[in-house]
Amino acid sequence: MSQANLLSPPTQITPPTALALSQKAPLIISHPPTSSLPWPLSLLFSRETPESWTINENLFYAALRTGDETSARAILERLEARFGESNERIITLMGIFNEATASSDQELEKVFEGYEKILRDDPTNMSVRKRRVAVLKALGRTQDAITAVTVLLQNSPTDVEAWAEASELYASQGAWGQAIYCAEEVLLVMPNAWSAHAHLATLYYLSTSSNNPPSLPSLALSLKHFCRSIELNDSYLRGYYGIKLLTTKLVPLLADAAPQQVSNKRGNAQTEDDDVPIPKLATVKKLEEIATNKLGEIVRNASQAKSGWTGYDQAEVIAARELLDRDGKIER
């Protein structure tokens, strides 16, 4: 594992990557920090670089992820000695450690009470407000978590993480309209985030999954955002997976629907969201072909660990293979 991974690990770290990172912790912990002076003197008489503390923080997360609480605690103590226990980031890291090591709901409740005390003393601590939402979610108090993230957004209306969390919380309750609204707010801030487009596409797809027949306008919007995700990242497995799943459902729906019905639904869709028409059957079939070919290419090359094809999550590759196997459209 290269040093670049320690300086800027991937947003969604895979278990093997987390393990490889955490295995570096004992080596780094065995070396004394660059400055042994107590805070705040450590700020004045220190020769370390900002990168060294970024590495320590990333190792802290990796150690917690792999259950190495001893290394995580040692790294946290080093960071606390360097920056002081009242530092906002250190307070957050301590909270994350307590959350990760809590073994019962009662212990999580104590963590929550600690966050409440911090916020009474400093209501502007946004990091702790976010951790408070995470604890409520872990405790199964979804409605309280939604209330908490709503308050957070009232104070920070451009916080992408908060909008994304709100979207997931609403989706977990089947409140698709609110979940979609929150996901669209993410795209207002980050219009070129392919994962955000895929998330919104997934919500549109799920919102119609219980309808019989499914809503063609919602499926059309889902297809639109999945297509946008692969336009932004032409190697995005999840985008091609979504297109394959959608087109497989859309082809029989469009084939069975009378032309006049499809035309009417296209007109209705234009009034619902951004003038998105119902796609033509020929277009959907072409998209299915493209998605099938690309997924097959990804599965073959990723399974063989070919150079340039090793960044995919193994679980996603397996899911793509299973999807292709359903209609026998994967080349062995």
Side-chain angles (χ1 to χ4, degrees), residues 288-303:
E288 181 184 20
E289 180 184 349
I290 292 170
T292 299
N293 292 337
K294 188 64 176 183
L295 283 176
E297 181 184 17
I298 292 172
V299 169
R300 287 192 300 274
N301 291 305
S303 299

Side-chain angles (χ1 to χ4, degrees), residues 52 85 94 174 209 212 248 256-257 297:
S52 64
E85 62 180 14
M94 291 175 66
S209 59
N212 190 18
T248 301
D256 293 342
E297 181 184 17

Side-chain angles (χ1 to χ4, degrees), residues 47 58 60 73 132-133 145 252 274:
R47 297 179 181 178
N58 288 332
F60 168 79
R73 165 59 75 180
R132 182 174 177 271
V133 173
D274 202 26

Side-chain angles (χ1 to χ4, degrees), residues 56-130:
N56 274 272
E57 187 171 333
N58 288 332
L59 280 175
F60 168 79
Y61 289 123
L64 277 184
R65 174 82 180 270
T66 56
D68 187 356
E69 296 178 10
T70 301
S71 294
R73 165 59 75 180
I75 295 169
L76 180 58
E77 289 175 351
R78 176 177 291 189
L79 289 166
E80 184 179 349
R82 169 62 176 80
F83 296 102
E85 62 180 14
S86 60
N87 178 276
E88 182 173 320
R89 197 169 189 86
I90 298 303
I91 290 173
T92 303
L93 292 178
M94 291 175 66
I96 291 173
F97 179 85
N98 291 332
E99 289 177 44
T101 56
S103 58
S104 65
D105 285 353
Q106 289 73 21
E107 291 185 9
L108 273 178
E109 289 284 0
K110 291 180 180 179
V111 175
F112 179 78
E113 291 170 6
Y115 287 154
E116 293 285 86
K117 182 179 183 302
I118 292 170
L119 290 174
R120 283 196 295 271
D121 296 337
D122 180 13
T124 64
N125 192 321
M126 301 304 287
S127 296
V128 168
R129 284 195 176 276
K130 290 182 179 181

Side-chain angles (χ1 to χ4, degrees), residues 230 233-241 291-306 309-313 316-318 320-321 324 330:
I230 64 166
N233 181 354
D234 62 4
S235 298
Y236 189 41
L237 186 153
R238 184 182 172 191
Y240 288 106
Y241 185 97
T292 299
N293 292 337
K294 188 64 176 183
L295 283 176
E297 181 184 17
I298 292 172
V299 169
R300 287 192 300 274
N301 291 305
S303 299
Q304 297 170 18
K306 287 188 177 180
W309 297 86
T310 56
Y312 293 100
D313 183 88
E316 292 186 349
V317 173
I318 293 172
R321 175 181 289 278
L324 293 171
I330 184 169

Side-chain angles (χ1 to χ4, degrees), residues 60 67 73 81 90-92 109 124 136-137 151 173 180 185 214 225 227 241 251 268 281 286 291 301 304 308:
F60 168 79
R73 165 59 75 180
I90 298 303
I91 290 173
T92 303
E109 289 284 0
T124 64
L136 287 170
K137 185 178 177 181
V151 172
Q173 300 298 294
I180 288 170
E185 290 294 321
H225 286 286
C227 287
Y241 185 97
V251 166
N268 292 338
L281 179 59
K286 184 62 178 178
N301 291 305
Q304 297 170 18

Side-chain angles (χ1 to χ4, degrees), residues 4-276:
N5 285 338
L6 287 171
L7 289 173
S8 54
T11 304
Q12 297 295 330
I13 247 181
T14 62
T17 301
L19 180 60
L21 290 176
S22 67
Q23 287 171 342
K24 294 180 177 292
L27 178 63
I28 291 182
I29 294 171
S30 65
H31 291 81
T34 308
S35 175
S36 59
L37 293 171
W39 185 88
L41 295 179
S42 58
L43 296 176
L44 302 175
F45 303 100
S46 178
R47 297 179 181 178
E48 90 279 354
T49 63
E51 288 80 6
S52 64
W53 297 109
T54 299
I55 288 173
N56 274 272
E57 187 171 333
N58 288 332
L59 280 175
F60 168 79
Y61 289 123
L64 277 184
R65 174 82 180 270
T66 56
D68 187 356
E69 296 178 10
T70 301
S71 294
R73 165 59 75 180
I75 295 169
L76 180 58
E77 289 175 351
R78 176 177 291 189
L79 289 166
E80 184 179 349
R82 169 62 176 80
F83 296 102
E85 62 180 14
S86 60
N87 178 276
E88 182 173 320
R89 197 169 189 86
I90 298 303
I91 290 173
T92 303
L93 292 178
M94 291 175 66
I96 291 173
F97 179 85
N98 291 332
E99 289 177 44
T101 56
S103 58
S104 65
D105 285 353
Q106 289 73 21
E107 291 185 9
L108 273 178
E109 289 284 0
K110 291 180 180 179
V111 175
F112 179 78
E113 291 170 6
Y115 287 154
E116 293 285 86
K117 182 179 183 302
I118 292 170
L119 290 174
R120 283 196 295 271
D121 296 337
D122 180 13
T124 64
N125 192 321
M126 301 304 287
S127 296
V128 168
R129 284 195 176 276
K130 290 182 179 181
R131 297 316 312 168
R132 182 174 177 271
V133 173
V135 172
L136 287 170
K137 185 178 177 181
L139 288 169
R141 295 165 57 182
T142 306
Q143 289 301 323
D144 289 338
I146 290 174
T147 301
V149 79
T150 300
V151 172
L152 195 158
L153 285 167
Q154 289 172 350
N155 292 286
S156 182
T158 59
D159 192 316
V160 172
E161 288 183 349
W163 281 116
E165 184 64 56
S167 179
E168 291 189 9
L169 287 167
Y170 279 121
S172 70
Q173 300 298 294
W176 303 116
Q178 293 93 326
I180 288 170
Y181 175 85
C182 294
E184 288 173 340
E185 290 294 321
V186 173
L187 285 178
L188 287 177
V189 182
M190 302 176 64
N192 294 325
W194 54 82
S195 59
H197 279 282
H199 174 67
L200 181 55
T202 302
L203 292 175
Y204 274 118
Y205 178 81
L206 292 174
S207 71
T208 190
S209 59
S210 60
N211 297 342
N212 190 18
S215 165
L216 281 175
S218 292
L219 293 179
L221 286 165
S222 180
L223 185 62
K224 166 195 169 184
H225 286 286
F226 273 128
C227 287
R228 180 56 177 158
S229 73
I230 64 166
E231 182 183 5
L232 292 166
N233 181 354
D234 62 4
S235 298
Y236 189 41
L237 186 153
R238 184 182 172 191
Y240 288 106
Y241 185 97
I243 291 173
K244 172 66 177 175
L245 198 64
L246 267 169
T247 52
T248 301
K249 176 173 284 192
L250 275 169
V251 166
L253 286 174
L254 294 174
D256 293 342
Q260 185 60 39
Q261 288 178 316
V262 174
S263 176
N264 290 339
K265 288 176 180 177
R266 283 181 186 148
N268 292 338
Q270 289 177 356
T271 64
E272 288 185 20
D273 188 283
D274 202 26
D275 295 334
V276 177

